[in-house]
Amino acid sequence: MAVARQSEAVDAITDNEDRPDFHHTIEPLEVSGQLVTYMSEAFFPQLMAGDTPDLVAMETGITALLTRHEEQTVPTSRRRNPVV
């Protein structure tokens, strides 16, 4: 759900024909990522606190989903050279 919402927001940003500016690009991208961040910040500490077989199985799927999502939404150059 969180990944789908962010993907929809990214599509809306790229489909927007208005002149690109902070309001039409950075702001909606940042807001759209809040649910993905929340999900990650809630799940991964739970995994570290007690890695039950069910959590480990979920981790595999969630990690693969988040990796695919990042590859689709973050330009390759930003993944290789993150802004510090």
Side-chain angles (χ1 to χ4, degrees):
M1 177 180 188
V3 169
R5 283 187 183 179
Q6 188 173 34
S7 293
E8 290 169 3
V10 169
D11 289 343
I13 292 166
T14 57
D15 293 344
N16 189 337
E17 294 183 10
D18 291 338
R19 182 172 178 256
D21 62 12
F22 184 85
H23 177 72
H24 294 111
T25 57
I26 304 301
E27 185 177 325
L29 182 61
E30 188 69 25
V31 170
S32 71
Q34 290 175 347
L35 191 54
V36 173
T37 300
Y38 177 79
M39 179 191 72
S40 296
E41 289 176 351
F43 175 73
F44 288 107
Q46 290 294 322
L47 178 67
M48 297 310 222
D51 60 346
T52 66
D54 290 339
L55 285 176
V56 172
M58 287 175 62
E59 177 195 19
T60 302
I62 290 173
T63 302
L65 174 69
L66 292 175
T67 299
R68 280 192 310 273
H69 177 63
E70 181 180 1
E71 289 171 349
Q72 293 171 351
T73 57
V74 179
T76 305
S77 61
R78 291 266 324 268
R79 288 195 307 267
R80 290 187 195 150
N81 302 310
V83 176
V84 179

